[in-house]
Amino acid sequence: MLKPLVLSLLFISAPITALASGYAIFTPLIVNRLPQSADNPTARQVLHAADLARHRDPQPMPRVHTEGTLPHQGIRDQSIAAEADWPAILNLALAWRLSNDDVYLVGLAAYLDAWFPLYHASFNPIDETNLDTVIMAYDLTAERLPDATRVNMEDFLRQLATGYIAQANSKLKKDHGNWQSHRIKLATMAAFALNDPTLIQAAHKVYQKHLANNLEADGSVFDFHERDALHYVVYDLQPLLMAALAAQRHDQNWYQDTTPDGATLAKALDWLTPYAQGEQTHIEYVRSTVKFDYQRRAAGEPGFSGPWEPQSATQLFNLAALVDNRYAPLAARLGRPAAWMVPGQ
C-alpha cells in the first residue's frame, strides 16, 4: 500500500490562505510553516508520489474489508488496492501545499469526488483507521475545494464522528482494546475537523472512559495482556496519541488525562520505552489468547513470531514527540517521521 513518504525539510515561513474554521491536525500556523518550494530532495519524493497518484485512476469501493482476513480471503486484496488511495490523497494535499501548483488540488478533488459519497462508513475501525490520512488532507485543502466536494466531505466527517462516538459508547463495557482506540481517533479527528463543540466534548468523554478501561496502573495496555505482543501496544497507543494531538492543536490537554489508577498516555509510552530502546526484548504472541494470531503466524505473515522489532514503533514515537518533546531523542534514533509529521511543530 502506498504510504505517505517521509519528509525531512528545512521549514520556512510563508503566507498562505487561512484554513477553514475546522481542522483536525493542521493548524493555520503549521500550514504557514510548510515550505513553498519543491527544491529539496525529500520534497521531490513527495511530489513524485503525488504525480504517480495524479496519473492513475482512483479505485473507490463502497466498502473495504481487511480486518480478520488472511491474504486472498474475501475482498482483502481489492480492499488493500483501494485503500492505497487514502494515503495518496494526503500526498496530493501535501504536494499542493509544497508546490502551490493547483494541478495537485485538482487531482485531490478527483479522488475525493470518486470516493465520497460512494463510500459510507462501515464503522469497522480496523478497516477504516487509515481514513485519518483523508481527514488530514481535508485540513490542508478544505477552503479551496469545490463546494460540492466540501459538502460531501463534511457529510462524511459527520458520519464518522457521530457514528463512532455512538459505537464507542456502546462498546465501553466489553471492548477495552485497540478497536476502541481506533474508534476514538476517527471520532475525535472528525469532530475537530467539523469544529463541532458538542461532538468534541462527547469524543473526549469516551476517550477518558477508554483510558480507564485500557491502561493498567503500571502503564501497560489491555492488548498486551490479551495478545502478548508489543505490536498491539503500538497499535493501541498510536490512535490515542492522534486523538491527544488533535486536542493539543486546539489547546486542550487530553494527553495529561489521568485514570483513577494513575495511568496516563505518558506512562504507557514510558512502559514501552525500554523495549523501543533495545534495553528489553520480547518474543511476540507466545501466550496470545486470540486464535487469529496463530492463524496469521501459520500463514507466514511477518511479525507474528520472533522478537519484536523496535523500528516498528518509529511512527508511534515520532508522533509522541509532537505531543511531548521528551520523546524526540528516541524518535530520532528509531527513524524518520512520516511526511505529515512536520518537524518543529
Side-chain angles (χ1 to χ4, degrees), residues 5 25 34 47 49 52 96 109 113 115 165 201 215 217 247 252 267 273 290 308 310 316 320 322 337 339:
L5 292 174
I25 298 294
L34 290 172
L47 293 167
L52 291 176
W96 176 60
D113 290 341
W115 273 92
I165 287 168
Q201 183 180 36
L215 302 183
Q252 298 185 29
K267 197 168 186 179
T273 292
V290 176
W308 181 73
L316 171 68
L322 295 181

Side-chain angles (χ1 to χ4, degrees), residues 18 24 77 80 96 109 113 127 165 169 214 217 220 229 232-233 267 272 310 332-333 340:
D77 294 351
I80 289 173
W96 176 60
D113 290 341
D127 288 341
I165 287 168
N169 275 309
N214 181 265
S220 61
Y232 273 99
V233 177
K267 197 168 186 179
L272 183 61
R333 175 180 167 183
W340 67 268

Side-chain angles (χ1 to χ4, degrees), residues 3 20 59 72 84 89 160 229 241 317 323:
K3 298 291 184 183
Q59 301 182 65
H72 316 308
I89 287 169
L160 290 180
L241 273 170
F317 280 100
V323 180

Side-chain angles (χ1 to χ4, degrees), residues 36-186:
Q36 295 296 287
S37 171
D39 189 21
N40 179 285
T42 317
R44 287 196 292 271
Q45 286 184 296
V46 174
L47 293 167
H48 176 65
D51 283 331
L52 291 176
R54 189 168 57 86
H55 287 106
R56 68 172 177 81
D57 292 331
Q59 301 182 65
M61 296 176 66
R63 171 180 172 269
V64 297
H65 183 56
T66 59
E67 175 271 321
T69 61
L70 297 172
H72 316 308
Q73 286 184 342
I75 61 170
R76 177 188 171 97
D77 294 351
Q78 302 97 303
S79 296
I80 289 173
E83 282 189 49
D85 284 356
W86 298 350
I89 287 169
L90 180 54
N91 280 327
L92 285 162
L94 286 169
W96 176 60
R97 287 292 179 180
L98 290 170
S99 68
N100 202 31
D101 187 340
D102 281 351
V103 70
Y104 298 108
L105 186 66
V106 171
L108 169 71
Y111 271 79
L112 295 180
D113 290 341
W115 273 92
F116 309 103
L118 172 68
Y119 185 86
H120 292 273
S122 68
F123 301 109
N124 180 318
I126 308 307
D127 288 341
E128 297 189 323
T129 188
N130 292 328
L131 284 168
D132 58 358
T133 59
V134 176
I135 299 171
M136 287 189 285
Y138 187 68
D139 279 0
L140 290 165
T141 59
E143 84 284 356
R144 288 287 303 276
L145 291 173
D147 289 345
T149 305
R150 188 167 57 250
V151 168
N152 286 338
M153 281 301 301
E154 288 176 356
D155 287 346
F156 181 67
L157 291 172
R158 195 161 296 279
Q159 278 185 49
L160 290 180
T162 57
Y164 273 118
I165 287 168
Q167 188 185 71
N169 275 309
S170 73
K171 301 287 187 181
L172 278 169
K173 292 184 179 180
K174 54 185 176 181
D175 189 346
H176 298 172
N178 67 87
W179 282 50
Q180 192 77 319
S181 296
H182 291 275
R183 291 183 186 107
I184 289 165
K185 175 189 74 171
L186 292 170

